[in-house]
Amino acid sequence: MAGLWSFTGRYKILHMTWFAFFLTFVVWFNFAPLATAAKAELGLTDPQLRTLAICNVALTVPARIVVGMILDRFGPRLTYSCLLIYAVFPCLAFALAQNFEQMVYARLALSIVGCGFVIGIRMVAEWFTAKDIGLAEGIYGGWGNFGSAGAAFTLPAIAAGLSFLAAGQFNWRLAIALTGVITAVYGVIYYFNVTDTPPGKVYQRPPSNAGMEVTSKRDFWFLLVMNVPLVGVLGLIAWRLTKLKFIDNTVLLLIGVFLVGLYLYQAYNIWQANKPLMTGAKRYAPEERYKFAQVANLELAYVACFGSELAVVSMLPTYFERGFGLTAAVAGAVAGMYAFMNIVARPGGGWLSDKIGSRKWTLAATIGGTGIGYLLFSMFGQGVPIIFVVLMTMLASFFVMAAEGATYAIVPLVKARITGQIAGNVGAYGNVGAVIYLTVYSLLPQGVAGDKLFFQMLGCVALIVAFINAFTLKEVTGDHAEAPVSVPVPMAVNQGDRR
């Protein structure tokens, strides 16, 4: 990675792709720093704000699955460009919303933008080899993930600066609209400045894009079981909306019927993708096989790390205020350190995975550290020195984001030609975790006691997942590194940047 700070060859692709991901995160989290102003203007309640937070991650779950399939078929260049351009439409709809119902629909549509992460995973995997893919994916994920902090740091100032266009009022609407416009413009720039693969490398596509390919009959049934939460979590969101009387029980029942149909349709597509295997017409050679259990392990790992991150960022400032007695300004600044650690922690997790020699134990150790960090949050409170609070936050967030980097240091190495689908499924489980965590949090007692129970839950889940991965995850080798470059690289591309 000696050429990291250059803007040529594979490093140009890496920098343009992490910035694309950065913009999707700015869009995805553009409401949180402006929520107070929107609440005051539209008269929103606290339960309505919590519901908007859940809606913000809702459709990301199915979107990651669908986009993973589209990605493997059409390539990351076209897929990412289209998603970036799409972002402007829900941003404008949300900026123009006049009531809670309109905000819900716009936020659901905007949550689709959260699936952008999986696209860049495939793009980076095409340009980097197994020996340094962990660090490359960590830089992509960590620097891109910083978009949530970027939104928190910049959007309030932008909204205040644009107040002259809103009769002196805090212009949160135009600030949100601008994030969509900028992202769409970058989508066009991205399309004309990247390619799916280095010169001479063939983009591998799965034989079917209808559903994920597996290589054993047992894995076929395992995949069907692991797909249940991806649909079930949408029912959980619908149930939550009934509690706010946004929909009634009749609509909930209809949604339940629809989700059963959706699952059966998914199962049919998976059958179509694996019909030759299941009917005995096809058998995979040993070198072509992979174990779906590997994917399941990574899905659980992402529940523990990224799922918890999405949940924690929505409540951490409030917890610091009422749990540690910090002022709103100080609580926000300390909470910002949690997201800020993405810059170094996620690449750090990928780098450790590359260098330590065991990707499995790197992942298990970082998830274990995540659990311990969250349990620390539940143990302390009023009277703790501010420096201890800052260090505790940085330590916990380091392990959370290092675990994310370690997870996606493994994802591209499981099965190259379906990397998009694997990345989509693993990423979707992160959102499944976030929805479940936030739903449980909404049911816990209000106040410090409920906050402590919440962190205890996050810590225990992480420790259990660390244990599972330590004893069931198998070490992987990179088949992305096995795809040879078959034709000479043009002289305009440095030989060191071929992959």
Side-chain angles (χ1 to χ4, degrees):
M1 299 292 285
L4 176 61
W5 304 112
S6 69
F7 200 72
T8 58
R10 62 179 183 168
Y11 300 108
K12 173 185 175 182
I13 301 298
L14 176 60
H15 290 309
M16 294 204 68
T17 303
W18 76 251
F19 190 69
F21 180 39
F22 176 91
L23 288 177
T24 64
F25 248 59
V26 170
V27 166
W28 199 12
F29 289 97
N30 61 11
F31 179 57
L34 305 173
T36 302
K39 177 184 179 182
E41 180 179 328
L42 298 177
L44 302 176
T45 65
D46 287 337
Q48 285 177 329
L49 286 179
R50 288 192 176 190
T51 300
L52 288 174
I54 296 174
C55 290
N56 199 50
V57 298
L59 295 187
T60 312
V61 177
R64 289 194 181 210
I65 306 300
V66 174
V67 166
M69 296 177 182
I70 295 172
L71 164 64
D72 286 336
R73 172 66 180 86
F74 294 102
R77 175 196 182 204
L78 178 61
T79 309
Y80 225 151
S81 298
C82 289
L83 182 71
L84 292 166
I85 294 170
Y86 161 82
V88 69
F89 299 105
C91 278
L92 292 177
F94 193 81
L96 295 172
Q98 298 300 313
N99 53 53
F100 173 65
E101 288 75 16
Q102 292 175 6
M103 296 181 88
V104 166
Y105 292 129
R107 213 69 215 173
L108 287 171
L110 200 147
S111 68
I112 294 173
V113 179
C115 73
F117 171 68
V118 304
I119 307 172
I121 289 294
R122 179 73 192 259
M123 175 66 92
V124 173
E126 292 297 330
W127 283 82
F128 288 82
T129 61
K131 69 178 182 180
D132 53 12
I133 198 170
L135 178 56
E137 297 287 15
I139 290 171
Y140 163 70
W143 294 4
N145 239 1
F146 190 66
S148 60
F153 292 151
T154 62
L155 290 184
I158 292 173
L162 295 172
S163 61
F164 71 94
L165 295 174
Q169 300 298 311
F170 191 74
N171 202 341
W172 65 271
R173 295 180 182 275
L174 186 53
I176 286 178
L178 278 176
T179 63
V181 172
I182 292 170
T183 301
V185 171
Y186 188 76
V188 177
I189 295 172
Y190 188 79
Y191 181 81
F192 288 105
N193 284 276
V194 303
T195 57
D196 288 331
T197 61
K201 183 179 179 183
V202 177
Y203 188 77
Q204 298 183 55
R205 291 178 170 85
S208 171
N209 293 100
M212 183 180 290
E213 175 190 9
V214 293
T215 55
S216 74
K217 293 182 179 180
R218 179 182 177 183
D219 283 351
F220 173 82
W221 299 109
F222 196 179
L223 173 57
L224 291 183
V225 171
M226 293 301 291
N227 268 10
V228 172
L230 298 176
V231 175
V233 74
L234 300 177
L236 183 61
I237 294 168
W239 171 81
R240 175 61 184 166
L241 290 174
T242 64
K243 296 304 177 181
L244 290 175
K245 302 187 184 306
F246 185 80
I247 59 176
D248 58 28
N249 288 329
T250 301
V251 175
L252 178 62
L253 179 61
L254 292 174
I255 291 175
V257 172
F258 168 76
L259 292 178
V260 170
L262 176 62
Y263 176 78
L264 293 176
Y265 176 69
Q266 280 186 334
Y268 173 75
N269 282 336
I270 293 171
W271 165 261
Q272 288 295 104
N274 296 283
K275 186 175 180 179
L277 170 70
M278 299 303 292
T279 58
K282 180 177 182 178
R283 296 188 66 181
Y284 288 86
E287 64 273 12
E288 282 288 301
R289 296 174 191 163
Y290 80 98
K291 291 186 177 296
F292 182 76
Q294 298 287 85
V295 181
N297 272 308
L298 297 174
E299 289 171 341
L300 294 178
Y302 221 52
V303 168
C305 54
F306 187 66
S308 67
E309 180 188 351
L310 288 179
V312 166
V313 293
S314 67
M315 54 78 66
L316 197 56
T318 301
Y319 175 57
F320 283 147
E321 284 187 62
R322 62 192 180 194
F324 290 83
L326 304 182
T327 65
V330 175
V334 176
M337 294 301 299
Y338 184 90
F340 183 81
M341 289 298 291
N342 259 307
I343 294 179
V344 295
R346 190 155 183 159
W351 180 82
L352 288 172
S353 186
D354 290 338
K355 299 301 181 183
I356 283 180
S358 173
R359 297 188 188 276
K360 162 188 170 177
W361 287 108
T362 302
L363 179 60
T366 51
I367 296 177
T370 295
I372 294 171
Y374 283 139
L375 291 177
L376 283 174
F377 271 110
S378 69
M379 293 170 58
F380 300 99
Q382 295 276 0
V384 174
I386 183 65
I387 185 63
F388 180 84
V389 179
V390 172
L391 291 175
M392 181 179 65
T393 302
M394 295 176 66
L395 179 66
S397 62
F398 174 83
F399 281 108
V400 172
M401 289 138 197
E404 294 166 8
T407 300
Y408 272 90
I410 298 174
V411 165
L413 305 179
V414 176
K415 189 66 179 171
R417 68 170 173 256
I418 57 169
T419 292
Q421 293 181 55
I422 294 174
N425 275 48
V426 172
Y429 258 83
N431 290 86
V432 168
V435 171
I436 294 174
Y437 290 144
L438 287 170
T439 302
V440 172
Y441 180 61
S442 71
L443 301 175
L444 292 175
Q446 300 296 307
V448 176
D451 293 342
K452 290 183 179 293
L453 284 173
F454 179 66
F455 282 110
Q456 288 170 3
M457 174 187 68
L458 296 182
C460 290
V461 168
L463 291 176
I464 291 170
V465 171
F467 180 85
I468 292 172
N469 274 273
F471 289 96
T472 63
L473 184 65
K474 307 297 182 184
E475 290 290 356
V476 297
T477 57
D479 61 353
H480 267 288
E482 295 163 9
V485 177
S486 57
V487 298
V489 179
M491 293 301 293
V493 179
N494 293 334
Q495 291 299 309
D497 291 335
R498 291 171 65 188
R499 297 292 299 273

